[in-house]
Amino acid sequence: MTVGSEAQPVSELLGKIFLTTGGTAGLGKQTILALARRNPGTIYFAGRNEAAANALMDSVKTDARYDRLVFLKADISSLQSVNGLAQAFLAREPQRLDVLMCNAGIMATAPALSADGYEIQFGTNHLGHALLIRHLLPTLKATAQTHGDARIIILTSIAHNLHPKSGIHFSTLKTPQEGLVTGPPGASWARYGQSKLANMLYADELARRYPTVTSVPVHPGIVKTELLTKHLSLGKRLGMRLNNIGKKEVYPEEGARNQIWAATASGVRSGTYYVPVGVEGKREKMGSSEDLAKGLWEWTERELEAFETPPSPTNPMPPPFRFLLLHRPHTRRRRLLLSFSLPTTLVALTTMSTSPSSSSNETPPPTYPTHPFNPPPPGSPYPYTPSHFTRLDPSPDSSFYSTPRFVTHIDAPAIARLRRYYHFHLPHTGRILDLCSSWVSHFPREMEELAIRSATAGTARSSDGDGEGQLEVVGLGMNAHELAANPVLSVRVTHDLNARPEIPDAVGKDLDATVCVVSIDYLTCPVEVLRGVWERTREGGRVHLVVSNRCFPTKVVGRWLQVGERERLEMVAGYVWWAGWRGVEVVDVVDEEGGKGEEGVMGRVRGWLGGGNGGGDPLWVVRGVKVGQGEGASDGHSEM
């Protein structure tokens, strides 16, 4: 069915932001040339060939008189490079992206693995783009809400029907798949068809899961790009032409028309497969399988969460943008948080008595915006029900976390701010519990050195009080391999808190402090867990729950995804209070300038939006202190 026509005028694109992968040659280059003539806000394009990019920018400036073209060097086959691409784009355009054009690709290549260990065509054509989409989805969703339209265009191919019999051979995607099929069309074409089928199904699943963003797979036609004319052997070119007898081959200028139409025309329907130009294409059976699309989505989610490797022990500070920003609130919600923080009194947080004493030469403690939690009236019922703690993925966490995930949950600027907060507000001797621990604890260097010295010497203070003057860190986490890689831990306890919310005896008693870095949102029985921590904490000890806006969305509790940052912080503060802690407050861990009155807070907000001194992920600490025996869970509240 024809829903559009190449004769339809392409609307003016004033103010719109485009990002195209594979933009230095072929279809990507022709797409950029065509868009530039419509004078959009800015066109970003990614590719590996910097010389070709410079030549294209010169050509566009001369021929189209358009100079808002920005090249971002990246290799889509490398997931680490894709992380850098997303970071570079979001640093420039944190609020708007109208069209993401997933154009880069390779075709019918020899068997090989990507840098990340995946079959090279699948890793490039599908997985690299899937990671880029995950990074940019929050911005696309915000654009759709603010401007009424945002689109993801994914190039697929009629060659998706060359896939293997099973559609996608998931079990061998981490091999070169030399023998994927026997006989026609040949393994190289089957691998290509598999990747193009993934492109089609992933666009379909995006359309189902994110209905506010228009996501479409498009086939450009049989195009004489360098993929066909230079990179295919004579035999493969002959085989392709025999398989497409009667079909016209076109040059890139014409081949780009379908994706340009999909990116700019009215009447484009999300989840519809289009062939040139603006015509709904026919799919074969696997190309219409919702079950296969769902399976692909779930496989992709798992793989993208686990692809990174840790930095070397000599360089514990991780590079930026290592973890996926999966649920970034819109600017409106950040403004809501600002109205929540500004009226509160800005107080200088005092250093705990067990922290290093200040000297005239030491930098004074930073001043943070702090908001006290208002506890409910006596006798009030617990405000949350079991339904608030259901998750999109109810499968056991022991399976989800069975594979080590050497990731950081916040970016480098946020980690730097957290380390500074820890320096002034964590004890430098005693016992600290790192709850939901992993391969890195983000302590400042002097605390790391103390903890490593204690862990190495085995002289840290035990729960009976021995080893005074040492710093013992207890790590309680889900994966033994991650805990083993964390050098600051003296005690490592592998335990599933969602299966058994009680704190294991191996953690010991007499805790001086507990930290939990952006993981409280994964606990389905948070009050019971925090009560268990309270029971093992010395009087005067504190709990520090670090909150940001990153998460694995399938594993966080349901209410976390349904509310904004203010409601999340109030929810976490409520957990702490109901568990028996007192003096509960929410601390906005801004940078050094961010806590100095309204001007500093506004600078922090500008930082969230991509400029000013407050760059990096937003960061809060919800904290409380153990005072006496407390009430908490003894007030008649039950989570179950």
Side-chain angles (χ1 to χ4, degrees), residues 176-194:
Q177 294 187 323
E178 295 100 325
L180 188 61
V181 299
T182 57
S188 61
W189 282 112
R191 294 191 296 270
Y192 178 68
Q194 174 181 248

PDB file of all heavy atoms in Angstrom, residues 176-194:
ATOM      1  N   PRO A 176      32.272 -16.481  14.669  1.00  0.00           N
ATOM      2  CA  PRO A 176      32.211 -15.934  13.300  1.00  0.00           C
ATOM      3  C   PRO A 176      31.093 -16.514  12.444  1.00  0.00           C
ATOM      4  O   PRO A 176      30.832 -15.998  11.352  1.00  0.00           O
ATOM      5  CB  PRO A 176      33.581 -16.283  12.721  1.00  0.00           C
ATOM      6  CG  PRO A 176      34.462 -16.517  13.900  1.00  0.00           C
ATOM      7  CD  PRO A 176      33.567 -17.111  14.953  1.00  0.00           C
ATOM      8  N   GLN A 177      30.449 -17.597  12.902  1.00  0.00           N
ATOM      9  CA  GLN A 177      29.348 -18.242  12.169  1.00  0.00           C
ATOM     10  C   GLN A 177      29.749 -18.634  10.748  1.00  0.00           C
ATOM     11  O   GLN A 177      28.998 -18.425   9.794  1.00  0.00           O
ATOM     12  CB  GLN A 177      28.113 -17.325  12.136  1.00  0.00           C
ATOM     13  CG  GLN A 177      27.467 -17.086  13.500  1.00  0.00           C
ATOM     14  CD  GLN A 177      26.165 -16.315  13.421  1.00  0.00           C
ATOM     15  OE1 GLN A 177      26.008 -15.404  12.598  1.00  0.00           O
ATOM     16  NE2 GLN A 177      25.211 -16.658  14.273  1.00  0.00           N
ATOM     17  N   GLU A 178      30.932 -19.244  10.629  1.00  0.00           N
ATOM     18  CA  GLU A 178      31.382 -19.636   9.279  1.00  0.00           C
ATOM     19  C   GLU A 178      30.388 -20.575   8.595  1.00  0.00           C
ATOM     20  O   GLU A 178      30.133 -20.459   7.407  1.00  0.00           O
ATOM     21  CB  GLU A 178      32.752 -20.331   9.356  1.00  0.00           C
ATOM     22  CG  GLU A 178      33.869 -19.442   9.832  1.00  0.00           C
ATOM     23  CD  GLU A 178      34.186 -19.678  11.294  1.00  0.00           C
ATOM     24  OE1 GLU A 178      33.248 -19.963  12.068  1.00  0.00           O
ATOM     25  OE2 GLU A 178      35.377 -19.571  11.650  1.00  0.00           O
ATOM     26  N   GLY A 179      29.840 -21.518   9.345  1.00  0.00           N
ATOM     27  CA  GLY A 179      28.957 -22.516   8.752  1.00  0.00           C
ATOM     28  C   GLY A 179      27.497 -22.277   9.069  1.00  0.00           C
ATOM     29  O   GLY A 179      26.756 -23.234   9.335  1.00  0.00           O
ATOM     30  N   LEU A 180      27.076 -21.034   9.034  1.00  0.00           N
ATOM     31  CA  LEU A 180      25.710 -20.705   9.430  1.00  0.00           C
ATOM     32  C   LEU A 180      24.683 -21.437   8.577  1.00  0.00           C
ATOM     33  O   LEU A 180      23.649 -21.883   9.071  1.00  0.00           O
ATOM     34  CB  LEU A 180      25.491 -19.190   9.348  1.00  0.00           C
ATOM     35  CG  LEU A 180      24.168 -18.664   9.899  1.00  0.00           C
ATOM     36  CD1 LEU A 180      24.026 -18.981  11.380  1.00  0.00           C
ATOM     37  CD2 LEU A 180      24.058 -17.160   9.678  1.00  0.00           C
ATOM     38  N   VAL A 181      24.931 -21.515   7.277  1.00  0.00           N
ATOM     39  CA  VAL A 181      24.068 -22.290   6.373  1.00  0.00           C
ATOM     40  C   VAL A 181      24.949 -23.074   5.419  1.00  0.00           C
ATOM     41  O   VAL A 181      26.123 -22.766   5.234  1.00  0.00           O
ATOM     42  CB  VAL A 181      23.124 -21.379   5.560  1.00  0.00           C
ATOM     43  CG1 VAL A 181      22.206 -20.590   6.459  1.00  0.00           C
ATOM     44  CG2 VAL A 181      23.906 -20.444   4.649  1.00  0.00           C
ATOM     45  N   THR A 182      24.387 -24.089   4.842  1.00  0.00           N
ATOM     46  CA  THR A 182      25.054 -24.824   3.760  1.00  0.00           C
ATOM     47  C   THR A 182      24.227 -24.651   2.500  1.00  0.00           C
ATOM     48  O   THR A 182      23.001 -24.674   2.536  1.00  0.00           O
ATOM     49  CB  THR A 182      25.193 -26.312   4.103  1.00  0.00           C
ATOM     50  OG1 THR A 182      23.895 -26.850   4.373  1.00  0.00           O
ATOM     51  CG2 THR A 182      26.079 -26.493   5.335  1.00  0.00           C
ATOM     52  N   GLY A 183      24.891 -24.443   1.377  1.00  0.00           N
ATOM     53  CA  GLY A 183      24.175 -24.206   0.134  1.00  0.00           C
ATOM     54  C   GLY A 183      23.782 -22.755  -0.004  1.00  0.00           C
ATOM     55  O   GLY A 183      24.176 -21.904   0.793  1.00  0.00           O
ATOM     56  N   PRO A 184      22.978 -22.438  -1.043  1.00  0.00           N
ATOM     57  CA  PRO A 184      22.583 -21.054  -1.300  1.00  0.00           C
ATOM     58  C   PRO A 184      21.816 -20.489  -0.086  1.00  0.00           C
ATOM     59  O   PRO A 184      21.103 -21.244   0.591  1.00  0.00           O
ATOM     60  CB  PRO A 184      21.681 -21.152  -2.530  1.00  0.00           C
ATOM     61  CG  PRO A 184      22.044 -22.455  -3.158  1.00  0.00           C
ATOM     62  CD  PRO A 184      22.424 -23.367  -2.032  1.00  0.00           C
ATOM     63  N   PRO A 185      21.944 -19.195   0.210  1.00  0.00           N
ATOM     64  CA  PRO A 185      22.722 -18.181  -0.516  1.00  0.00           C
ATOM     65  C   PRO A 185      24.185 -18.120  -0.130  1.00  0.00           C
ATOM     66  O   PRO A 185      24.916 -17.263  -0.602  1.00  0.00           O
ATOM     67  CB  PRO A 185      22.014 -16.890  -0.104  1.00  0.00           C
ATOM     68  CG  PRO A 185      21.606 -17.151   1.308  1.00  0.00           C
ATOM     69  CD  PRO A 185      21.209 -18.595   1.353  1.00  0.00           C
ATOM     70  N   GLY A 186      24.623 -18.990   0.779  1.00  0.00           N
ATOM     71  CA  GLY A 186      25.976 -18.941   1.299  1.00  0.00           C
ATOM     72  C   GLY A 186      26.005 -18.281   2.668  1.00  0.00           C
ATOM     73  O   GLY A 186      25.153 -17.457   3.004  1.00  0.00           O
ATOM     74  N   ALA A 187      27.007 -18.652   3.467  1.00  0.00           N
ATOM     75  CA  ALA A 187      27.043 -18.200   4.852  1.00  0.00           C
ATOM     76  C   ALA A 187      27.180 -16.690   4.971  1.00  0.00           C
ATOM     77  O   ALA A 187      26.596 -16.071   5.865  1.00  0.00           O
ATOM     78  CB  ALA A 187      28.182 -18.902   5.596  1.00  0.00           C
ATOM     79  N   SER A 188      27.974 -16.060   4.095  1.00  0.00           N
ATOM     80  CA  SER A 188      28.175 -14.612   4.224  1.00  0.00           C
ATOM     81  C   SER A 188      26.875 -13.858   4.005  1.00  0.00           C
ATOM     82  O   SER A 188      26.574 -12.888   4.702  1.00  0.00           O
ATOM     83  CB  SER A 188      29.254 -14.128   3.257  1.00  0.00           C
ATOM     84  OG  SER A 188      28.866 -14.389   1.918  1.00  0.00           O
ATOM     85  N   TRP A 189      26.071 -14.315   3.017  1.00  0.00           N
ATOM     86  CA  TRP A 189      24.784 -13.667   2.765  1.00  0.00           C
ATOM     87  C   TRP A 189      23.771 -14.004   3.860  1.00  0.00           C
ATOM     88  O   TRP A 189      22.940 -13.179   4.223  1.00  0.00           O
ATOM     89  CB  TRP A 189      24.227 -14.069   1.406  1.00  0.00           C
ATOM     90  CG  TRP A 189      24.867 -13.342   0.271  1.00  0.00           C
ATOM     91  CD1 TRP A 189      25.688 -13.859  -0.694  1.00  0.00           C
ATOM     92  CD2 TRP A 189      24.760 -11.937  -0.011  1.00  0.00           C
ATOM     93  NE1 TRP A 189      26.105 -12.872  -1.558  1.00  0.00           N
ATOM     94  CE2 TRP A 189      25.538 -11.684  -1.160  1.00  0.00           C
ATOM     95  CE3 TRP A 189      24.094 -10.883   0.590  1.00  0.00           C
ATOM     96  CZ2 TRP A 189      25.667 -10.412  -1.713  1.00  0.00           C
ATOM     97  CZ3 TRP A 189      24.215  -9.615   0.041  1.00  0.00           C
ATOM     98  CH2 TRP A 189      24.992  -9.386  -1.098  1.00  0.00           C
ATOM     99  N   ALA A 190      23.843 -15.213   4.399  1.00  0.00           N
ATOM    100  CA  ALA A 190      22.939 -15.574   5.498  1.00  0.00           C
ATOM    101  C   ALA A 190      23.225 -14.715   6.725  1.00  0.00           C
ATOM    102  O   ALA A 190      22.302 -14.285   7.428  1.00  0.00           O
ATOM    103  CB  ALA A 190      23.078 -17.054   5.827  1.00  0.00           C
ATOM    104  N   ARG A 191      24.504 -14.479   6.990  1.00  0.00           N
ATOM    105  CA  ARG A 191      24.854 -13.604   8.118  1.00  0.00           C
ATOM    106  C   ARG A 191      24.349 -12.184   7.878  1.00  0.00           C
ATOM    107  O   ARG A 191      23.869 -11.513   8.798  1.00  0.00           O
ATOM    108  CB  ARG A 191      26.366 -13.605   8.340  1.00  0.00           C
ATOM    109  CG  ARG A 191      26.933 -14.944   8.801  1.00  0.00           C
ATOM    110  CD  ARG A 191      28.369 -14.825   9.259  1.00  0.00           C
ATOM    111  NE  ARG A 191      29.274 -14.423   8.194  1.00  0.00           N
ATOM    112  CZ  ARG A 191      29.917 -15.258   7.382  1.00  0.00           C
ATOM    113  NH1 ARG A 191      29.743 -16.572   7.516  1.00  0.00           N
ATOM    114  NH2 ARG A 191      30.742 -14.805   6.450  1.00  0.00           N
ATOM    115  N   TYR A 192      24.472 -11.721   6.651  1.00  0.00           N
ATOM    116  CA  TYR A 192      23.955 -10.394   6.316  1.00  0.00           C
ATOM    117  C   TYR A 192      22.434 -10.346   6.480  1.00  0.00           C
ATOM    118  O   TYR A 192      21.882  -9.423   7.091  1.00  0.00           O
ATOM    119  CB  TYR A 192      24.342 -10.021   4.884  1.00  0.00           C
ATOM    120  CG  TYR A 192      23.809  -8.679   4.437  1.00  0.00           C
ATOM    121  CD1 TYR A 192      24.287  -7.504   4.992  1.00  0.00           C
ATOM    122  CD2 TYR A 192      22.827  -8.597   3.446  1.00  0.00           C
ATOM    123  CE1 TYR A 192      23.806  -6.267   4.574  1.00  0.00           C
ATOM    124  CE2 TYR A 192      22.346  -7.368   3.020  1.00  0.00           C
ATOM    125  CZ  TYR A 192      22.827  -6.200   3.593  1.00  0.00           C
ATOM    126  OH  TYR A 192      22.343  -4.982   3.175  1.00  0.00           O
ATOM    127  N   GLY A 193      21.736 -11.357   5.930  1.00  0.00           N
ATOM    128  CA  GLY A 193      20.284 -11.409   6.051  1.00  0.00           C
ATOM    129  C   GLY A 193      19.823 -11.454   7.497  1.00  0.00           C
ATOM    130  O   GLY A 193      18.833 -10.820   7.879  1.00  0.00           O
ATOM    131  N   GLN A 194      20.563 -12.170   8.327  1.00  0.00           N
ATOM    132  CA  GLN A 194      20.263 -12.240   9.754  1.00  0.00           C
ATOM    133  C   GLN A 194      20.354 -10.851  10.396  1.00  0.00           C
ATOM    134  O   GLN A 194      19.482 -10.452  11.181  1.00  0.00           O
ATOM    135  CB  GLN A 194      21.259 -13.196  10.408  1.00  0.00           C
ATOM    136  CG  GLN A 194      21.201 -13.289  11.903  1.00  0.00           C
ATOM    137  CD  GLN A 194      22.256 -14.250  12.430  1.00  0.00           C
ATOM    138  OE1 GLN A 194      21.925 -15.315  12.944  1.00  0.00           O
ATOM    139  NE2 GLN A 194      23.521 -13.893  12.303  1.00  0.00           N
TER     140      GLN A 194
END
